[in-house]
Amino acid sequence: MEPIFQNMIIYYISLGLRVLRNNVFLTTITIMSLALGIGACITALTVLHVLSSDPVPKKSGQLYYVRIDPTGANGYAKGETVPAPMMTYVDAANIIGANKALASTAVALTPAKITSSLVGLRPLFSEAVTTTSGFFSLFDARFLYGAGWSVKDDSGSSRVVVISKDMNDRLFQGRDSVGQTLRVNNVDLQVVGVLEDWSPQPRFYAVSLSRRNYGGGDGIFMPLSVSLDTKMTPENVSCYGNADISQLRAAPCMFLGVWTQLDNERAVESYKIYLSNYVHEQIASGRFVRNTFGVSSLHDWMKENRVIPDDVRVQVWIAIGFLVICVVNAIGLLLAKNLRRMSEYAVRRALGASRGELFTQIVAEGAIVGLAGGMLGLFFAEAGLYAVRHEPAQYASLATLDLSMFLATFCVSLLAGLLASILPALRACVAAPAPYLKAS
């Protein structure tokens, strides 16, 4: 940056600070007005930012949720009916076993009572993820100790379990617990792996399987085959015929979410053709009636299920509207202040100051007011997020200000200050200096 330009910026900032100090009351009201708007806006935007984050940043573009519909003809309208959100064990096993994708997994959730061999430790109650061996690599879950189980463990119903870092801290004080035994719903399971901190938000793999889309991560991951052999009942089961829920491998009951990894559009189209052929085969065999299936990308699946609550989006628009009102109020205050300084501007113009220099000075004052409003707005935003964290909402604990939103606060405040100062600056620049010189 040229030294002359630097000196000019420093001059305008020092001049702006001096002018603002001369109008402490009006300046304070203007800063407070902007701070309230910025605080409300940043609070709402932070909640939306947290809820709309990418749960699997490195692979989300390759993850797809697969659906077909084995239910009966009642209520079916060809080309209009959307497929069921979950899948039966038979269909999940057939589709995953066909190996038409880079990787696939099936997921269900079940309530779990967890006890360890440690004396004096009370049982813990949590949701357990029952899934297949491909879950961890598919969703980019990394291990702190050990590893996941194998395909052979899936087929052999090996009594193994993977636990989260949080669960390992609570049960084993953070030590390497591989080889230890846990009792989950009265079934002894050997720990084969401990995950690093892994808590995707939103909890995308649980959508349609559970009512909880946000919040703390799951603590227990165990083979689906073990949960079926030991009669653990999934949280969400939808049966469409005479079903024995204790025999979920063969029962006409949907309880699994199936995810696949497809690396490009051609793979997606090929997979859709495979699914279409599969559905037609099942119709031909008399097992299916409905000719419908779905392959949704992770982000589309989140949108289709309206994972982000509608009230959060409404709150964002309300907060933006409030910020606009605060900026308009700040414009009025700055206009009032500048009207009192028109004689000063007229003298400066008479002494040779250009309209551009006058405009820059007033805009610099607005930027200073905006940044001051941003710093105070951070305080209001933290207070707002504190209030959100005490709401009875699934996402309450996630409402914290991260670095990106911290920087966004100052961008919003600077923009608000500049917008508030442009109209007063233009008003001062276009006014003829002669009447004000005569009046003074």
Side-chain angles (χ1 to χ4, degrees), residues 269-341:
E269 293 305 317
S270 297
Y271 199 82
K272 288 179 178 176
I273 292 172
Y274 158 70
L275 273 185
S276 176
N277 292 336
Y278 178 81
V279 169
H280 280 99
E281 287 173 7
Q282 299 305 312
I283 292 173
S285 68
R287 200 170 152 257
F288 280 15
V289 175
R290 303 185 177 202
N291 180 16
T292 179
F293 63 91
V295 180
S296 302
S297 69
L298 186 153
H299 295 295
D300 286 344
W301 182 236
M302 298 295 103
K303 290 177 184 175
E304 290 170 21
N305 285 275
R306 306 172 78 89
V307 171
I308 300 175
D310 289 340
D311 60 336
V312 171
R313 298 184 188 279
V314 172
Q315 288 167 9
V316 168
W317 285 112
I318 291 174
I320 290 175
F322 181 62
L323 176 61
V324 170
I325 292 172
C326 291
V327 170
V328 170
N329 185 51
I331 290 173
L333 292 170
L334 291 175
L335 274 172
K337 186 182 71 174
N338 283 342
L339 281 175
R340 295 167 55 186
R341 297 173 59 199

Side-chain angles (χ1 to χ4, degrees), residues 212-281:
R212 185 169 68 89
N213 294 332
Y214 293 95
D218 293 297
I220 295 288
F221 304 81
M222 56 189 292
L224 175 63
S225 54
V226 173
S227 71
L228 295 175
D229 287 349
T230 56
K231 315 299 183 191
M232 295 184 191
T233 304
E235 281 190 21
N236 192 5
V237 182
S238 177
C239 299
Y240 52 92
N242 295 325
D244 179 0
I245 201 170
S246 66
Q247 302 296 327
L248 283 174
R249 275 194 169 92
C253 296
M254 300 174 288
F255 64 100
L256 290 169
V258 174
W259 290 88
T260 63
Q261 181 180 354
L262 303 168
D263 59 354
N264 54 47
E265 285 298 324
R266 177 178 292 182
V268 174
E269 293 305 317
S270 297
Y271 199 82
K272 288 179 178 176
I273 292 172
Y274 158 70
L275 273 185
S276 176
N277 292 336
Y278 178 81
V279 169
H280 280 99
E281 287 173 7

Side-chain angles (χ1 to χ4, degrees), residues 70-138:
T71 56
N74 188 25
Y76 172 59
K78 188 175 181 180
E80 298 179 7
T81 305
V82 297
M86 297 183 293
M87 206 176 285
T88 64
Y89 178 85
V90 171
D91 293 316
N94 289 340
I95 288 172
I96 293 175
N99 289 322
K100 297 296 182 181
L102 285 176
S104 301
T105 191
V107 186
L109 300 173
T110 187
K113 176 186 175 184
I114 305 154
T115 55
S116 76
S117 57
L118 296 179
V119 177
L121 191 65
R122 293 182 176 180
L124 302 176
F125 295 90
S126 174
E127 280 182 325
V129 178
T130 63
T131 183
T132 59
S133 55
F135 179 92
F136 306 102
S137 59
L138 185 65

Side-chain angles (χ1 to χ4, degrees), residues 376-394:
L376 187 58
L378 270 179
F379 171 78
F380 290 130
E382 285 290 0
L385 292 173
Y386 177 83
V388 172
R389 286 195 291 273
H390 287 76
E391 287 182 357
Q394 295 176 5

